[in-house]
Amino acid sequence: MSVRNTVKSIQDIMRQDAGVDGDAQRISQLCWMFFLKIIDDQDQELEVTQDDYRSPIPKKYQWRSWAADPEGITGEALLGFINGELFPALKELPVSTKPGDRRRVVRDVFEDAYNYMKSGQLMRQVVNKINEVDFNNLTERQHFGDIYEQILNDLQSAGNAGEYYTPRAVTAFMVDRIDPHPGETLFDPACGTGGFLTCAIRHMEKNYVKTTKQRDKMQGALRAVEKKQLPHMLCVTNMLLHGIEDPSFVRHDNTLARPLISWSKDERVDIVLTNPPFGGREEDGIENNFPTFRTKETADLFLALIVRLLKQDGRAAVVLPDGTLFGEGVKTRLKEHLMEECNLHTIVRLPNSVFKPYASIGTNLLFFEKGSPTKEIWFYEHRVPEGQKAYSMTKPIRLEHFQGCIDWWGGRERKGRTETPQAWRVTIDEVEGRGYNLDIKNPHTVADDHGDPETLLADLRKAEAETAALRDQLKAILAEALER
């Protein structure tokens, strides 16, 4: 059976279980089980290739010990083992402070994980299906990686869980424009399911990684934090699928919980790639960590943090909503600070439908570099392909849709940029004159002519009068019919 059919069979089995309710729970259930199988397959390979290697998971709780035998424990015995022994042991796994301790990865994944399945028989069927995938087989792992991407994509329709997913075309475009190299410290402070990390890994492996040393250098420079349990678990599993042996750099934490001033120089990074949650508000007290930009709006706090965290000449690409562009008060101070500390050189304006169905608000891709103030900003309006009204689940945004912007970009040095029907330039003086309102519409777009307002009002009054006359006629006809 193909990997795709195996995953489909697992999902069909889970739908029969009374305890698994909806896509988000099914994905969470799938994830912790696949995580244990993937890490066990990795362990078995590392035990052969590395002297004195020891699994981070105690022998009794390793996948091979309780799950690998298709005739192994099932029913109530299996449920009792998972709920009463496996989960408590992995949640309380002792960890050290040594870097590279894979036990921390396991404990962080299971810290808030939950077994939703209530049928031990169905659980055994799922376990046996998972055993059909060999994650040490490169072809099977690649196939599963593609399917895993689709599982993450399914989060868009899984209620609130959709907030953790950024369309892969968007992440791929942003990574391509930032162009990370092995050894550059890359940080995603709100990493969700790890889309920017996986895109960056693929980009570097395709363009720069030729040796094991370069790969180690790449892996050692990755940093990420995710606040919520489900996306953190999905991200860690995603890293394992991409051959990252030690995904402990993906921390389960709230990046905003630290005072802004406490981030020291030695914690600064070369690159930030992120889509911070927006529209949400942080818990009480978090705003006190940002005294200059006191707000509970999550996206604003992350933007302030990113400016702080970038090294001299560090570069960033960030997804932000329209509200950040036109907002006043704290948002104005934040934008002024951003443009004093960084060169905000490009804003790519996306149509509202890019993040559908999770969100239908206008979003923007901000590209900036730390070290010199902004003198001018280039805007590029991304448009839905001709013949298509909007992006959707069946017609999502694809990387090739960004080709026009890539061709216009002007390479790493951004040379030769010119104004086009989709691109325009604004000076810092114009921005200051607008009170740092960056919600600047395309000046090359001809506004629709809706006609003279007085004529439109006259037409409306005429139409209303005709409607009233027809209503009166209908009432008369009905009254006459009732009298017969």
Side-chain angles (χ1 to χ4, degrees):
M1 184 182 286
S2 72
V3 174
R4 181 172 295 280
N5 289 337
T6 298
V7 173
K8 185 180 183 303
S9 297
I10 291 168
Q11 291 175 319
D12 290 341
I13 294 167
M14 283 187 178
R15 287 187 179 95
Q16 301 172 46
D17 191 281
V20 185
D21 182 19
D23 287 338
Q25 287 188 4
R26 186 158 47 250
I27 290 167
S28 178
Q29 182 80 21
L30 264 174
C31 190
W32 72 255
M33 298 178 78
F34 274 122
F35 171 82
L36 287 179
K37 176 65 162 69
I38 292 166
I39 205 165
D40 192 58
D41 282 1
Q42 276 193 353
D43 282 344
Q44 293 184 58
E45 185 172 308
L46 292 169
E47 286 163 4
V48 173
T49 58
Q50 294 184 15
D51 294 337
D52 301 322
Y53 175 81
R54 292 184 64 184
S55 170
I57 300 175
K59 188 170 183 179
K60 183 178 181 180
Y61 306 114
Q62 293 171 8
W63 183 270
R64 71 191 94 164
S65 298
W66 63 270
D69 181 1
E71 302 297 325
I73 57 171
T74 187
E76 290 302 318
L78 179 56
L79 278 184
F81 169 76
I82 288 171
N83 294 329
E85 297 187 52
L86 180 72
F87 267 72
L90 299 185
K91 285 174 184 286
E92 299 299 327
L93 205 61
V95 298
S96 69
T97 56
K98 290 194 309 182
D101 186 352
R102 278 165 50 107
R103 288 176 297 180
R104 180 174 297 281
V105 176
V106 177
R107 195 174 78 171
D108 283 353
V109 163
F110 278 85
E111 185 176 23
D112 295 314
Y114 185 76
N115 173 40
Y116 293 102
M117 294 189 74
K118 292 184 176 179
S119 167
Q121 284 79 15
L122 292 174
M123 174 74 81
R124 169 47 66 182
Q125 291 179 38
V126 170
V127 166
N128 288 349
K129 286 291 181 185
I130 291 174
N131 280 320
E132 294 177 12
V133 185
D134 177 7
F135 290 101
N136 286 334
N137 181 309
L138 182 60
T139 302
E140 287 198 14
R141 190 168 73 220
Q142 287 173 340
H143 286 168
F144 183 80
D146 294 338
I147 295 163
Y148 194 78
E149 284 288 317
Q150 184 56 49
I151 291 171
L152 299 184
N153 188 40
D154 290 345
L155 280 173
Q156 289 187 87
S157 57
N160 291 334
E163 67 188 274
Y164 312 128
Y165 184 83
T166 306
R168 289 297 166 256
V170 175
T171 58
F173 169 73
M174 292 167 70
V175 168
D176 181 72
R177 295 298 84 197
I178 290 294
D179 189 26
H181 285 59
E184 288 189 306
T185 313
L186 187 153
F187 183 44
D188 185 345
C191 67
T193 59
F196 285 105
L197 297 169
T198 56
C199 278
I201 290 167
R202 287 177 187 150
H203 177 87
M204 287 187 276
E205 287 182 335
K206 178 182 176 182
N207 296 289
Y208 307 114
V209 174
K210 308 299 179 187
T211 65
T212 303
K213 187 176 180 181
Q214 288 173 324
R215 181 171 177 79
D216 291 343
K217 195 175 181 183
M218 172 190 74
Q219 293 190 19
L222 299 175
R223 308 279 186 274
V225 181
E226 174 49 45
K227 179 180 177 181
K228 296 186 179 180
Q229 182 271 334
L230 173 58
H232 173 264
M233 179 169 36
L234 291 164
C235 181
V236 169
T237 307
N238 214 356
M239 294 302 99
L240 292 172
L241 281 171
H242 282 79
I244 305 295
E245 291 176 8
D246 176 25
S248 60
F249 64 85
V250 183
R251 292 192 294 112
H252 186 196
D253 201 356
N254 182 1
T255 320
L256 301 177
R258 280 179 61 179
L260 185 63
I261 199 170
S262 74
W263 293 89
S264 60
K265 279 190 175 182
D266 59 0
E267 292 179 284
R268 292 184 181 172
V269 299
D270 297 297
I271 295 170
V272 174
L273 283 159
T274 192
N275 176 13
F278 42 83
R281 298 178 72 79
E282 282 298 314
E283 60 197 69
D284 289 343
I286 291 292
E287 73 275 13
N288 296 328
N289 293 329
F290 297 78
T292 311
F293 310 105
R294 200 180 296 271
T295 177
K296 289 186 179 180
E297 168 56 52
T298 307
D300 293 344
L301 297 175
F302 271 107
L303 185 56
L305 176 65
I306 292 163
V307 174
R308 168 86 179 184
L309 284 178
L310 283 176
K311 291 179 180 177
Q312 181 77 8
D313 299 323
R315 54 202 191 278
V318 185
V319 184
L320 288 171
D322 281 354
T324 300
L325 267 57
F326 62 72
E328 299 177 342
V330 170
K331 294 182 191 294
T332 297
R333 293 202 304 275
L334 186 55
K335 287 176 284 189
E336 185 176 5
H337 173 66
L338 167 65
M339 286 182 268
E340 285 174 351
E341 295 289 320
C342 304
N343 176 20
L344 175 59
H345 56 79
T346 311
I347 298 177
V348 178
R349 310 214 64 177
L350 301 179
N352 292 8
S353 56
V354 167
F355 283 83
K356 275 186 177 178
Y358 168 64
S360 297
I361 60 175
T363 48
N364 308 271
L365 310 181
L366 274 64
F367 295 83
F368 51 92
E369 296 172 349
K370 181 84 169 276
S372 59
T374 303
K375 293 180 180 178
E376 63 179 22
I377 305 169
W378 279 94
F379 287 79
Y380 188 94
E381 181 184 43
H382 177 86
R383 295 173 182 167
V384 176
E386 197 170 336
Q388 189 174 329
K389 288 185 177 180
Y391 291 119
S392 64
M393 290 288 285
T394 54
K395 292 184 176 179
I397 190 169
R398 300 195 305 271
L399 181 57
E400 53 261 37
H401 295 151
F402 284 104
Q403 192 57 52
C405 185
I406 292 171
D407 294 340
W408 164 86
W409 195 271
R412 183 154 185 169
E413 302 300 321
R414 303 183 298 276
K415 288 184 177 178
R417 287 184 171 184
T418 57
E419 295 214 3
T420 72
Q422 289 174 253
W424 64 100
R425 177 174 51 182
V426 178
T427 67
I428 188 62
D429 291 339
E430 292 175 88
V431 172
E432 289 174 354
R434 293 172 53 88
Y436 291 92
N437 181 346
L438 295 174
D439 186 24
I440 302 172
K441 307 303 181 187
N442 188 345
H444 306 303
T445 301
V446 178
D448 294 333
D449 184 6
H450 297 292
D452 178 64
E454 292 298 326
T455 303
L456 291 172
L457 283 171
D459 290 343
L460 177 62
R461 284 192 288 268
K462 182 180 177 182
E464 287 174 340
E466 290 174 352
T467 302
L470 290 169
R471 191 187 305 115
D472 291 341
Q473 287 179 33
L474 182 59
K475 282 181 179 178
I477 292 168
L478 288 172
E480 185 180 343
L482 290 170
E483 288 174 359
R484 289 177 182 172

